[in-house]
C-alpha cells in the first residue's frame, strides 16, 4: 500500500478509534449517554466513507494525501459523531447543545480545507469530491434530524445531491464535469447554518423560513447546473455534427 493510502487509513483510523473509545467509555454529555446504536452509526459512517476515500486514492494513483484532505478528514470525523447523535435521536432525546456544538466546527472547517488547498497548492479533483460528499452527508443527516419538527419536505435538502447522482446513472451526460462556481459553497454553507439553527429551540418561528430559503437556493443551484449540462450536451452535439462531414470529405 502506498504512503498516501496509509496516510488516509491513518487519519480514518484515528477518527474511528476516537469514536469507538468514546463509545467504550460510555461518555456522558450533560448526563445524556449516547446509546450503542448512535456509536454504531458513527463508526459505520467513518468506515464506509474512508473506505471509499482510500479506493479513490487508489484509482487516481495519488502521490500525497495533502493538508487539505487532513482538514476534511477531521471534519468527516465530526460528521460521523453528528450522524451518531442524529441516529440516537430517533430512539430518544439527545443533547441539542452537543449536536450544535459539533455542527458549528464542522461548518467552519468547510471554509478552511479549501483555503488550505489553495495556499499549499494541493487542490485536486479527489479533494474537492471528498469535501463535497462530506458536505452532502452533513446536510442529509441534519435534514433527517429537523424533518420531524418542520415536515418531511426538509428531506429534500439532504436528498437533492443523491437524487442528482441517481439521475446521472440513468443519464450519463449528467455526470459531465461542471465548471467551478463559488456560489455552490455559499449555498451549501447557508443550508448547513439554517439546518443547525432549526436544531435549536431558539428561533422556532424563523427556522422554517430559513430552511425554506435554503431549499430554494439549493434548487436554484442544482437547476443552474442541470441547465448548463443540457446546453453543454447540445454544444457537443453541434461540434460532433460539424466534425462528421469533415471526415466524410477526407
Amino acid at each position: 500500500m502506498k504512503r498516501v493510502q496509509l496516510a488516509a487509513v491513518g487519519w480514518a483510523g484515528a477518527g474511528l478509534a476516537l469514536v469507538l473509545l468514546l463509545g467504550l467509555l460510555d461518555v456522558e454529555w450533560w448526563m445524556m449517554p449516547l446509546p450503542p446504536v448512535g456509536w454504531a452509526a458513527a463508526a459505520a459512517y467513518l468506515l464506509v466513507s474512508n473506505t471509499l476515500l482510500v479506493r479513490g486514492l487508489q484509482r487516481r494513483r495519488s502521490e500525497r494525501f495533502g493538508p487539505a484532505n487532513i482538514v476534511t478528514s477531521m471534519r468527516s470525523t465530526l460528521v460521523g459523531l453528528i450522524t451518531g447523535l442524529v441516529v440516537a435521536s430517533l430512539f430518544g432525546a439527545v443533547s441539542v447543545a452537543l449536536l450544535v456544538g459539533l455542527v458549528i466546527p464542522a461548518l467552519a472547517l468547510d471554509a478552511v480545507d479549501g483555503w488550505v488547498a489553495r495556499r499549499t497548492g494541493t487542490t485536486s479533483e479527489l479533494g474537492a469530491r471528498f469535501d463535497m460528499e462530506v458536505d452532502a452527508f452533513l446536510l442529509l443527516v441534519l435534514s433527517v434530524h429537523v424533518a420531524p419538527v418542520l415536515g418531511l419536505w426538509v428531506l429534500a435538502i439532504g436528498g437533492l445531491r443523491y437524487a442528482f447522482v441517481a439521475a446521472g446513472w440513468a443519464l450519463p451526460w449528467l455526470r459531465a464535469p461542471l465548471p467551478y462556481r463559488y456560489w455552490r459553497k455559499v449555498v451549501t454553507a447557508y443550508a448547513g447554518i439554517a439546518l443547525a439553527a432549526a436544531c435549536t429551540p431558539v428561533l422556532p418561528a424563523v427556522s422554517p423560513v430559513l430552511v425554506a430559503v435554503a431549499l430554494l437556493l439549493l434548487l436554484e443551484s442544482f437547476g443552474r447546473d442541470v441547465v448548463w449540462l443540457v446546453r453543454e450536451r447540445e454544444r457537443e452535439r453541434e461540434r460532433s455534427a460539424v466534425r462528421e462531414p469533415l471526415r466524410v470529405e477526407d
Side-chain angles (χ1 to χ4, degrees), residues 135-136 139-140 143 154-161 181 183-192 195 211-225:
D135 288 340
L139 293 185
L140 177 63
S143 298
V154 179
L155 294 176
I157 293 178
L160 275 173
R161 162 65 185 164
R181 281 197 298 114
W183 178 243
R184 293 192 196 97
K185 297 288 290 183
V186 174
V187 171
T188 300
Y190 173 80
L195 289 171
V211 176
V213 171
L215 177 57
L216 291 175
L217 290 175
L218 283 167
L219 287 171
E220 182 276 334
S221 183
F222 276 97
R224 188 188 301 185
D225 285 343

PDB file of all heavy atoms in Angstrom, residues 135-136 139-140 143 154-161 181 183-192 195 211-225:
ATOM      1  N   ASP A 135     -19.915  17.399   2.811  1.00  0.00           N
ATOM      2  CA  ASP A 135     -20.950  18.427   2.892  1.00  0.00           C
ATOM      3  C   ASP A 135     -22.333  17.825   2.674  1.00  0.00           C
ATOM      4  O   ASP A 135     -23.278  18.105   3.420  1.00  0.00           O
ATOM      5  CB  ASP A 135     -20.713  19.511   1.833  1.00  0.00           C
ATOM      6  CG  ASP A 135     -19.529  20.402   2.152  1.00  0.00           C
ATOM      7  OD1 ASP A 135     -19.124  20.450   3.325  1.00  0.00           O
ATOM      8  OD2 ASP A 135     -19.008  21.050   1.229  1.00  0.00           O
ATOM      9  N   ALA A 136     -22.453  17.008   1.616  1.00  0.00           N
ATOM     10  CA  ALA A 136     -23.750  16.439   1.254  1.00  0.00           C
ATOM     11  C   ALA A 136     -24.294  15.554   2.372  1.00  0.00           C
ATOM     12  O   ALA A 136     -25.494  15.604   2.700  1.00  0.00           O
ATOM     13  CB  ALA A 136     -23.628  15.641  -0.048  1.00  0.00           C
ATOM     14  N   LEU A 139     -25.581  17.633   5.342  1.00  0.00           N
ATOM     15  CA  LEU A 139     -26.914  18.171   5.077  1.00  0.00           C
ATOM     16  C   LEU A 139     -27.979  17.085   5.186  1.00  0.00           C
ATOM     17  O   LEU A 139     -29.086  17.336   5.673  1.00  0.00           O
ATOM     18  CB  LEU A 139     -26.961  18.810   3.689  1.00  0.00           C
ATOM     19  CG  LEU A 139     -26.131  20.078   3.475  1.00  0.00           C
ATOM     20  CD1 LEU A 139     -26.387  20.643   2.079  1.00  0.00           C
ATOM     21  CD2 LEU A 139     -26.432  21.133   4.527  1.00  0.00           C
ATOM     22  N   LEU A 140     -27.641  15.869   4.750  1.00  0.00           N
ATOM     23  CA  LEU A 140     -28.602  14.769   4.813  1.00  0.00           C
ATOM     24  C   LEU A 140     -28.975  14.439   6.256  1.00  0.00           C
ATOM     25  O   LEU A 140     -30.163  14.344   6.595  1.00  0.00           O
ATOM     26  CB  LEU A 140     -28.032  13.531   4.125  1.00  0.00           C
ATOM     27  CG  LEU A 140     -28.899  12.273   4.177  1.00  0.00           C
ATOM     28  CD1 LEU A 140     -30.217  12.493   3.455  1.00  0.00           C
ATOM     29  CD2 LEU A 140     -28.159  11.072   3.584  1.00  0.00           C
ATOM     30  N   SER A 143     -30.961  17.172   7.867  1.00  0.00           N
ATOM     31  CA  SER A 143     -32.333  17.176   7.345  1.00  0.00           C
ATOM     32  C   SER A 143     -33.179  16.113   8.037  1.00  0.00           C
ATOM     33  O   SER A 143     -34.344  16.358   8.372  1.00  0.00           O
ATOM     34  CB  SER A 143     -32.317  16.920   5.832  1.00  0.00           C
ATOM     35  OG  SER A 143     -31.614  17.927   5.148  1.00  0.00           O
ATOM     36  N   VAL A 154     -38.379  18.919   4.345  1.00  0.00           N
ATOM     37  CA  VAL A 154     -36.990  19.272   4.656  1.00  0.00           C
ATOM     38  C   VAL A 154     -36.028  18.213   4.115  1.00  0.00           C
ATOM     39  O   VAL A 154     -34.873  18.523   3.796  1.00  0.00           O
ATOM     40  CB  VAL A 154     -36.815  19.438   6.178  1.00  0.00           C
ATOM     41  CG1 VAL A 154     -35.373  19.771   6.526  1.00  0.00           C
ATOM     42  CG2 VAL A 154     -37.741  20.528   6.693  1.00  0.00           C
ATOM     43  N   LEU A 155     -36.480  16.965   3.992  1.00  0.00           N
ATOM     44  CA  LEU A 155     -35.614  15.897   3.493  1.00  0.00           C
ATOM     45  C   LEU A 155     -35.125  16.170   2.076  1.00  0.00           C
ATOM     46  O   LEU A 155     -34.107  15.610   1.647  1.00  0.00           O
ATOM     47  CB  LEU A 155     -36.352  14.564   3.531  1.00  0.00           C
ATOM     48  CG  LEU A 155     -36.716  14.035   4.924  1.00  0.00           C
ATOM     49  CD1 LEU A 155     -37.537  12.764   4.805  1.00  0.00           C
ATOM     50  CD2 LEU A 155     -35.459  13.784   5.755  1.00  0.00           C
ATOM     51  N   ALA A 156     -35.835  17.048   1.354  1.00  0.00           N
ATOM     52  CA  ALA A 156     -35.393  17.398   0.003  1.00  0.00           C
ATOM     53  C   ALA A 156     -34.034  18.070   0.026  1.00  0.00           C
ATOM     54  O   ALA A 156     -33.243  17.927  -0.917  1.00  0.00           O
ATOM     55  CB  ALA A 156     -36.424  18.306  -0.666  1.00  0.00           C
ATOM     56  N   ILE A 157     -33.725  18.803   1.094  1.00  0.00           N
ATOM     57  CA  ILE A 157     -32.428  19.474   1.191  1.00  0.00           C
ATOM     58  C   ILE A 157     -31.305  18.450   1.195  1.00  0.00           C
ATOM     59  O   ILE A 157     -30.307  18.584   0.482  1.00  0.00           O
ATOM     60  CB  ILE A 157     -32.377  20.354   2.456  1.00  0.00           C
ATOM     61  CG1 ILE A 157     -33.358  21.520   2.324  1.00  0.00           C
ATOM     62  CG2 ILE A 157     -30.960  20.867   2.717  1.00  0.00           C
ATOM     63  CD1 ILE A 157     -33.419  22.406   3.549  1.00  0.00           C
ATOM     64  N   GLY A 158     -31.462  17.421   2.010  1.00  0.00           N
ATOM     65  CA  GLY A 158     -30.434  16.397   2.075  1.00  0.00           C
ATOM     66  C   GLY A 158     -30.465  15.429   0.914  1.00  0.00           C
ATOM     67  O   GLY A 158     -29.448  14.789   0.606  1.00  0.00           O
ATOM     68  N   GLY A 159     -31.610  15.317   0.246  1.00  0.00           N
ATOM     69  CA  GLY A 159     -31.740  14.332  -0.818  1.00  0.00           C
ATOM     70  C   GLY A 159     -31.393  14.830  -2.210  1.00  0.00           C
ATOM     71  O   GLY A 159     -31.210  14.017  -3.123  1.00  0.00           O
ATOM     72  N   LEU A 160     -31.263  16.152  -2.392  1.00  0.00           N
ATOM     73  CA  LEU A 160     -31.030  16.685  -3.733  1.00  0.00           C
ATOM     74  C   LEU A 160     -29.740  16.155  -4.349  1.00  0.00           C
ATOM     75  O   LEU A 160     -29.710  15.760  -5.516  1.00  0.00           O
ATOM     76  CB  LEU A 160     -31.000  18.219  -3.687  1.00  0.00           C
ATOM     77  CG  LEU A 160     -32.355  18.920  -3.778  1.00  0.00           C
ATOM     78  CD1 LEU A 160     -32.197  20.417  -3.554  1.00  0.00           C
ATOM     79  CD2 LEU A 160     -32.997  18.654  -5.124  1.00  0.00           C
ATOM     80  N   ARG A 161     -28.661  16.159  -3.583  1.00  0.00           N
ATOM     81  CA  ARG A 161     -27.373  15.687  -4.103  1.00  0.00           C
ATOM     82  C   ARG A 161     -27.467  14.231  -4.552  1.00  0.00           C
ATOM     83  O   ARG A 161     -26.982  13.869  -5.630  1.00  0.00           O
ATOM     84  CB  ARG A 161     -26.303  15.849  -3.021  1.00  0.00           C
ATOM     85  CG  ARG A 161     -25.036  15.033  -3.225  1.00  0.00           C
ATOM     86  CD  ARG A 161     -24.270  15.455  -4.439  1.00  0.00           C
ATOM     87  NE  ARG A 161     -23.132  14.580  -4.677  1.00  0.00           N
ATOM     88  CZ  ARG A 161     -22.470  14.513  -5.820  1.00  0.00           C
ATOM     89  NH1 ARG A 161     -22.820  15.278  -6.831  1.00  0.00           N
ATOM     90  NH2 ARG A 161     -21.450  13.691  -5.952  1.00  0.00           N
ATOM     91  N   ARG A 181     -17.978  26.857  -9.395  1.00  0.00           N
ATOM     92  CA  ARG A 181     -18.789  28.015  -9.006  1.00  0.00           C
ATOM     93  C   ARG A 181     -18.733  28.164  -7.499  1.00  0.00           C
ATOM     94  O   ARG A 181     -19.158  27.262  -6.772  1.00  0.00           O
ATOM     95  CB  ARG A 181     -20.248  27.857  -9.455  1.00  0.00           C
ATOM     96  CG  ARG A 181     -20.503  28.156 -10.908  1.00  0.00           C
ATOM     97  CD  ARG A 181     -21.971  28.397 -11.226  1.00  0.00           C
ATOM     98  NE  ARG A 181     -22.804  27.234 -10.959  1.00  0.00           N
ATOM     99  CZ  ARG A 181     -23.746  27.201 -10.021  1.00  0.00           C
ATOM    100  NH1 ARG A 181     -23.955  28.238  -9.233  1.00  0.00           N
ATOM    101  NH2 ARG A 181     -24.465  26.111  -9.851  1.00  0.00           N
ATOM    102  N   TRP A 183     -20.510  29.933  -5.761  1.00  0.00           N
ATOM    103  CA  TRP A 183     -21.873  30.043  -5.251  1.00  0.00           C
ATOM    104  C   TRP A 183     -22.353  28.725  -4.643  1.00  0.00           C
ATOM    105  O   TRP A 183     -23.122  28.722  -3.683  1.00  0.00           O
ATOM    106  CB  TRP A 183     -22.801  30.476  -6.376  1.00  0.00           C
ATOM    107  CG  TRP A 183     -24.247  30.589  -5.996  1.00  0.00           C
ATOM    108  CD1 TRP A 183     -25.292  29.869  -6.489  1.00  0.00           C
ATOM    109  CD2 TRP A 183     -24.824  31.491  -5.035  1.00  0.00           C
ATOM    110  NE1 TRP A 183     -26.479  30.245  -5.913  1.00  0.00           N
ATOM    111  CE2 TRP A 183     -26.223  31.247  -5.013  1.00  0.00           C
ATOM    112  CE3 TRP A 183     -24.307  32.460  -4.206  1.00  0.00           C
ATOM    113  CZ2 TRP A 183     -27.094  31.943  -4.194  1.00  0.00           C
ATOM    114  CZ3 TRP A 183     -25.176  33.170  -3.369  1.00  0.00           C
ATOM    115  CH2 TRP A 183     -26.539  32.906  -3.374  1.00  0.00           C
ATOM    116  N   ARG A 184     -21.885  27.596  -5.176  1.00  0.00           N
ATOM    117  CA  ARG A 184     -22.272  26.305  -4.610  1.00  0.00           C
ATOM    118  C   ARG A 184     -21.851  26.203  -3.146  1.00  0.00           C
ATOM    119  O   ARG A 184     -22.597  25.706  -2.299  1.00  0.00           O
ATOM    120  CB  ARG A 184     -21.635  25.156  -5.392  1.00  0.00           C
ATOM    121  CG  ARG A 184     -22.132  24.981  -6.811  1.00  0.00           C
ATOM    122  CD  ARG A 184     -21.664  23.660  -7.386  1.00  0.00           C
ATOM    123  NE  ARG A 184     -21.808  23.621  -8.833  1.00  0.00           N
ATOM    124  CZ  ARG A 184     -20.827  23.888  -9.678  1.00  0.00           C
ATOM    125  NH1 ARG A 184     -19.613  24.146  -9.223  1.00  0.00           N
ATOM    126  NH2 ARG A 184     -21.029  23.853 -10.985  1.00  0.00           N
ATOM    127  N   LYS A 185     -20.618  26.646  -2.850  1.00  0.00           N
ATOM    128  CA  LYS A 185     -20.125  26.601  -1.473  1.00  0.00           C
ATOM    129  C   LYS A 185     -20.961  27.509  -0.569  1.00  0.00           C
ATOM    130  O   LYS A 185     -21.253  27.157   0.577  1.00  0.00           O
ATOM    131  CB  LYS A 185     -18.665  27.026  -1.436  1.00  0.00           C
ATOM    132  CG  LYS A 185     -17.712  26.123  -2.193  1.00  0.00           C
ATOM    133  CD  LYS A 185     -17.521  24.798  -1.478  1.00  0.00           C
ATOM    134  CE  LYS A 185     -16.732  24.947  -0.195  1.00  0.00           C
ATOM    135  NZ  LYS A 185     -16.494  23.634   0.463  1.00  0.00           N
ATOM    136  N   VAL A 186     -21.327  28.679  -1.087  1.00  0.00           N
ATOM    137  CA  VAL A 186     -22.127  29.626  -0.302  1.00  0.00           C
ATOM    138  C   VAL A 186     -23.482  29.018   0.035  1.00  0.00           C
ATOM    139  O   VAL A 186     -23.947  29.078   1.183  1.00  0.00           O
ATOM    140  CB  VAL A 186     -22.299  30.952  -1.071  1.00  0.00           C
ATOM    141  CG1 VAL A 186     -23.258  31.888  -0.332  1.00  0.00           C
ATOM    142  CG2 VAL A 186     -20.949  31.632  -1.279  1.00  0.00           C
ATOM    143  N   VAL A 187     -24.120  28.424  -0.963  1.00  0.00           N
ATOM    144  CA  VAL A 187     -25.451  27.827  -0.757  1.00  0.00           C
ATOM    145  C   VAL A 187     -25.369  26.666   0.229  1.00  0.00           C
ATOM    146  O   VAL A 187     -26.211  26.533   1.128  1.00  0.00           O
ATOM    147  CB  VAL A 187     -26.039  27.367  -2.107  1.00  0.00           C
ATOM    148  CG1 VAL A 187     -27.313  26.557  -1.882  1.00  0.00           C
ATOM    149  CG2 VAL A 187     -26.329  28.562  -2.986  1.00  0.00           C
ATOM    150  N   THR A 188     -24.359  25.824   0.071  1.00  0.00           N
ATOM    151  CA  THR A 188     -24.197  24.681   0.978  1.00  0.00           C
ATOM    152  C   THR A 188     -23.967  25.156   2.407  1.00  0.00           C
ATOM    153  O   THR A 188     -24.540  24.610   3.354  1.00  0.00           O
ATOM    154  CB  THR A 188     -23.021  23.807   0.524  1.00  0.00           C
ATOM    155  OG1 THR A 188     -23.272  23.334  -0.806  1.00  0.00           O
ATOM    156  CG2 THR A 188     -22.850  22.608   1.446  1.00  0.00           C
ATOM    157  N   ALA A 189     -23.114  26.174   2.562  1.00  0.00           N
ATOM    158  CA  ALA A 189     -22.841  26.716   3.902  1.00  0.00           C
ATOM    159  C   ALA A 189     -24.104  27.293   4.519  1.00  0.00           C
ATOM    160  O   ALA A 189     -24.401  27.055   5.706  1.00  0.00           O
ATOM    161  CB  ALA A 189     -21.747  27.776   3.823  1.00  0.00           C
ATOM    162  N   TYR A 190     -24.873  28.042   3.722  1.00  0.00           N
ATOM    163  CA  TYR A 190     -26.114  28.619   4.253  1.00  0.00           C
ATOM    164  C   TYR A 190     -27.091  27.521   4.662  1.00  0.00           C
ATOM    165  O   TYR A 190     -27.746  27.614   5.716  1.00  0.00           O
ATOM    166  CB  TYR A 190     -26.768  29.531   3.221  1.00  0.00           C
ATOM    167  CG  TYR A 190     -28.132  30.006   3.680  1.00  0.00           C
ATOM    168  CD1 TYR A 190     -28.250  31.056   4.574  1.00  0.00           C
ATOM    169  CD2 TYR A 190     -29.297  29.353   3.263  1.00  0.00           C
ATOM    170  CE1 TYR A 190     -29.495  31.463   5.038  1.00  0.00           C
ATOM    171  CE2 TYR A 190     -30.535  29.746   3.712  1.00  0.00           C
ATOM    172  CZ  TYR A 190     -30.636  30.801   4.602  1.00  0.00           C
ATOM    173  OH  TYR A 190     -31.856  31.194   5.077  1.00  0.00           O
ATOM    174  N   ALA A 191     -27.205  26.476   3.835  1.00  0.00           N
ATOM    175  CA  ALA A 191     -28.118  25.379   4.160  1.00  0.00           C
ATOM    176  C   ALA A 191     -27.723  24.722   5.477  1.00  0.00           C
ATOM    177  O   ALA A 191     -28.584  24.397   6.305  1.00  0.00           O
ATOM    178  CB  ALA A 191     -28.141  24.353   3.031  1.00  0.00           C
ATOM    179  N   GLY A 192     -26.420  24.519   5.676  1.00  0.00           N
ATOM    180  CA  GLY A 192     -25.957  23.937   6.928  1.00  0.00           C
ATOM    181  C   GLY A 192     -26.287  24.812   8.118  1.00  0.00           C
ATOM    182  O   GLY A 192     -26.723  24.328   9.175  1.00  0.00           O
ATOM    183  N   LEU A 195     -30.094  24.693   8.839  1.00  0.00           N
ATOM    184  CA  LEU A 195     -30.488  23.451   9.499  1.00  0.00           C
ATOM    185  C   LEU A 195     -29.977  23.401  10.930  1.00  0.00           C
ATOM    186  O   LEU A 195     -30.671  22.888  11.829  1.00  0.00           O
ATOM    187  CB  LEU A 195     -29.955  22.253   8.709  1.00  0.00           C
ATOM    188  CG  LEU A 195     -30.634  21.997   7.355  1.00  0.00           C
ATOM    189  CD1 LEU A 195     -29.876  20.940   6.573  1.00  0.00           C
ATOM    190  CD2 LEU A 195     -32.087  21.583   7.552  1.00  0.00           C
ATOM    191  N   VAL A 211     -34.951  27.579   6.632  1.00  0.00           N
ATOM    192  CA  VAL A 211     -34.769  26.289   5.965  1.00  0.00           C
ATOM    193  C   VAL A 211     -35.435  26.299   4.596  1.00  0.00           C
ATOM    194  O   VAL A 211     -34.900  25.728   3.625  1.00  0.00           O
ATOM    195  CB  VAL A 211     -35.328  25.152   6.847  1.00  0.00           C
ATOM    196  CG1 VAL A 211     -35.239  23.824   6.126  1.00  0.00           C
ATOM    197  CG2 VAL A 211     -34.556  25.085   8.162  1.00  0.00           C
ATOM    198  N   ALA A 212     -36.591  26.944   4.471  1.00  0.00           N
ATOM    199  CA  ALA A 212     -37.259  27.034   3.175  1.00  0.00           C
ATOM    200  C   ALA A 212     -36.405  27.807   2.175  1.00  0.00           C
ATOM    201  O   ALA A 212     -36.306  27.427   1.000  1.00  0.00           O
ATOM    202  CB  ALA A 212     -38.623  27.699   3.337  1.00  0.00           C
ATOM    203  N   VAL A 213     -35.776  28.877   2.628  1.00  0.00           N
ATOM    204  CA  VAL A 213     -34.879  29.647   1.758  1.00  0.00           C
ATOM    205  C   VAL A 213     -33.699  28.771   1.326  1.00  0.00           C
ATOM    206  O   VAL A 213     -33.270  28.816   0.168  1.00  0.00           O
ATOM    207  CB  VAL A 213     -34.388  30.922   2.470  1.00  0.00           C
ATOM    208  CG1 VAL A 213     -33.282  31.605   1.672  1.00  0.00           C
ATOM    209  CG2 VAL A 213     -35.541  31.884   2.676  1.00  0.00           C
ATOM    210  N   ALA A 214     -33.190  27.960   2.260  1.00  0.00           N
ATOM    211  CA  ALA A 214     -32.088  27.053   1.927  1.00  0.00           C
ATOM    212  C   ALA A 214     -32.497  26.090   0.824  1.00  0.00           C
ATOM    213  O   ALA A 214     -31.732  25.839  -0.116  1.00  0.00           O
ATOM    214  CB  ALA A 214     -31.650  26.285   3.170  1.00  0.00           C
ATOM    215  N   LEU A 215     -33.706  25.550   0.911  1.00  0.00           N
ATOM    216  CA  LEU A 215     -34.188  24.623  -0.114  1.00  0.00           C
ATOM    217  C   LEU A 215     -34.308  25.324  -1.469  1.00  0.00           C
ATOM    218  O   LEU A 215     -33.903  24.775  -2.506  1.00  0.00           O
ATOM    219  CB  LEU A 215     -35.534  24.037   0.301  1.00  0.00           C
ATOM    220  CG  LEU A 215     -36.205  23.091  -0.716  1.00  0.00           C
ATOM    221  CD1 LEU A 215     -35.288  21.933  -1.072  1.00  0.00           C
ATOM    222  CD2 LEU A 215     -37.537  22.589  -0.176  1.00  0.00           C
ATOM    223  N   LEU A 216     -34.837  26.545  -1.463  1.00  0.00           N
ATOM    224  CA  LEU A 216     -34.973  27.298  -2.714  1.00  0.00           C
ATOM    225  C   LEU A 216     -33.611  27.583  -3.341  1.00  0.00           C
ATOM    226  O   LEU A 216     -33.434  27.469  -4.564  1.00  0.00           O
ATOM    227  CB  LEU A 216     -35.726  28.609  -2.454  1.00  0.00           C
ATOM    228  CG  LEU A 216     -37.212  28.474  -2.099  1.00  0.00           C
ATOM    229  CD1 LEU A 216     -37.795  29.837  -1.753  1.00  0.00           C
ATOM    230  CD2 LEU A 216     -37.981  27.842  -3.258  1.00  0.00           C
ATOM    231  N   LEU A 217     -32.639  27.950  -2.512  1.00  0.00           N
ATOM    232  CA  LEU A 217     -31.294  28.229  -3.026  1.00  0.00           C
ATOM    233  C   LEU A 217     -30.651  26.974  -3.609  1.00  0.00           C
ATOM    234  O   LEU A 217     -29.983  27.029  -4.645  1.00  0.00           O
ATOM    235  CB  LEU A 217     -30.421  28.803  -1.907  1.00  0.00           C
ATOM    236  CG  LEU A 217     -30.771  30.221  -1.435  1.00  0.00           C
ATOM    237  CD1 LEU A 217     -29.909  30.607  -0.241  1.00  0.00           C
ATOM    238  CD2 LEU A 217     -30.588  31.230  -2.560  1.00  0.00           C
ATOM    239  N   LEU A 218     -30.850  25.835  -2.941  1.00  0.00           N
ATOM    240  CA  LEU A 218     -30.301  24.585  -3.454  1.00  0.00           C
ATOM    241  C   LEU A 218     -30.966  24.188  -4.769  1.00  0.00           C
ATOM    242  O   LEU A 218     -30.296  23.712  -5.696  1.00  0.00           O
ATOM    243  CB  LEU A 218     -30.477  23.470  -2.417  1.00  0.00           C
ATOM    244  CG  LEU A 218     -29.499  23.506  -1.236  1.00  0.00           C
ATOM    245  CD1 LEU A 218     -29.967  22.561  -0.134  1.00  0.00           C
ATOM    246  CD2 LEU A 218     -28.090  23.122  -1.690  1.00  0.00           C
ATOM    247  N   LEU A 219     -32.272  24.386  -4.863  1.00  0.00           N
ATOM    248  CA  LEU A 219     -32.972  24.081  -6.109  1.00  0.00           C
ATOM    249  C   LEU A 219     -32.450  24.967  -7.237  1.00  0.00           C
ATOM    250  O   LEU A 219     -32.253  24.500  -8.373  1.00  0.00           O
ATOM    251  CB  LEU A 219     -34.482  24.283  -5.927  1.00  0.00           C
ATOM    252  CG  LEU A 219     -35.205  23.227  -5.083  1.00  0.00           C
ATOM    253  CD1 LEU A 219     -36.628  23.672  -4.800  1.00  0.00           C
ATOM    254  CD2 LEU A 219     -35.198  21.874  -5.798  1.00  0.00           C
ATOM    255  N   GLU A 220     -32.208  26.239  -6.926  1.00  0.00           N
ATOM    256  CA  GLU A 220     -31.657  27.147  -7.939  1.00  0.00           C
ATOM    257  C   GLU A 220     -30.267  26.716  -8.363  1.00  0.00           C
ATOM    258  O   GLU A 220     -29.933  26.701  -9.561  1.00  0.00           O
ATOM    259  CB  GLU A 220     -31.612  28.569  -7.371  1.00  0.00           C
ATOM    260  CG  GLU A 220     -31.100  29.627  -8.339  1.00  0.00           C
ATOM    261  CD  GLU A 220     -29.576  29.728  -8.388  1.00  0.00           C
ATOM    262  OE1 GLU A 220     -28.929  29.366  -7.380  1.00  0.00           O
ATOM    263  OE2 GLU A 220     -29.041  30.153  -9.437  1.00  0.00           O
ATOM    264  N   SER A 221     -29.432  26.328  -7.396  1.00  0.00           N
ATOM    265  CA  SER A 221     -28.062  25.927  -7.699  1.00  0.00           C
ATOM    266  C   SER A 221     -28.021  24.654  -8.542  1.00  0.00           C
ATOM    267  O   SER A 221     -27.325  24.586  -9.563  1.00  0.00           O
ATOM    268  CB  SER A 221     -27.281  25.724  -6.398  1.00  0.00           C
ATOM    269  OG  SER A 221     -25.939  25.393  -6.659  1.00  0.00           O
ATOM    270  N   PHE A 222     -28.780  23.634  -8.127  1.00  0.00           N
ATOM    271  CA  PHE A 222     -28.828  22.398  -8.904  1.00  0.00           C
ATOM    272  C   PHE A 222     -29.476  22.635 -10.270  1.00  0.00           C
ATOM    273  O   PHE A 222     -29.041  22.069 -11.277  1.00  0.00           O
ATOM    274  CB  PHE A 222     -29.590  21.321  -8.141  1.00  0.00           C
ATOM    275  CG  PHE A 222     -28.759  20.571  -7.152  1.00  0.00           C
ATOM    276  CD1 PHE A 222     -28.762  20.920  -5.816  1.00  0.00           C
ATOM    277  CD2 PHE A 222     -27.955  19.511  -7.555  1.00  0.00           C
ATOM    278  CE1 PHE A 222     -27.982  20.235  -4.886  1.00  0.00           C
ATOM    279  CE2 PHE A 222     -27.175  18.817  -6.645  1.00  0.00           C
ATOM    280  CZ  PHE A 222     -27.182  19.181  -5.308  1.00  0.00           C
ATOM    281  N   GLY A 223     -30.510  23.465 -10.293  1.00  0.00           N
ATOM    282  CA  GLY A 223     -31.172  23.765 -11.560  1.00  0.00           C
ATOM    283  C   GLY A 223     -30.234  24.445 -12.538  1.00  0.00           C
ATOM    284  O   GLY A 223     -30.235  24.123 -13.739  1.00  0.00           O
ATOM    285  N   ARG A 224     -29.415  25.368 -12.046  1.00  0.00           N
ATOM    286  CA  ARG A 224     -28.452  26.038 -12.914  1.00  0.00           C
ATOM    287  C   ARG A 224     -27.443  25.048 -13.479  1.00  0.00           C
ATOM    288  O   ARG A 224     -27.063  25.131 -14.656  1.00  0.00           O
ATOM    289  CB  ARG A 224     -27.726  27.148 -12.147  1.00  0.00           C
ATOM    290  CG  ARG A 224     -26.853  28.014 -13.038  1.00  0.00           C
ATOM    291  CD  ARG A 224     -26.003  28.980 -12.248  1.00  0.00           C
ATOM    292  NE  ARG A 224     -26.796  29.877 -11.415  1.00  0.00           N
ATOM    293  CZ  ARG A 224     -26.256  30.872 -10.704  1.00  0.00           C
ATOM    294  NH1 ARG A 224     -24.928  31.055 -10.713  1.00  0.00           N
ATOM    295  NH2 ARG A 224     -27.009  31.663  -9.978  1.00  0.00           N
ATOM    296  N   ASP A 225     -27.003  24.102 -12.640  1.00  0.00           N
ATOM    297  CA  ASP A 225     -26.059  23.092 -13.117  1.00  0.00           C
ATOM    298  C   ASP A 225     -26.691  22.205 -14.194  1.00  0.00           C
ATOM    299  O   ASP A 225     -26.046  21.858 -15.194  1.00  0.00           O
ATOM    300  CB  ASP A 225     -25.587  22.224 -11.954  1.00  0.00           C
ATOM    301  CG  ASP A 225     -24.591  22.946 -11.056  1.00  0.00           C
ATOM    302  OD1 ASP A 225     -24.027  23.971 -11.503  1.00  0.00           O
ATOM    303  OD2 ASP A 225     -24.382  22.498  -9.919  1.00  0.00           O
TER     304      ASP A 225
END
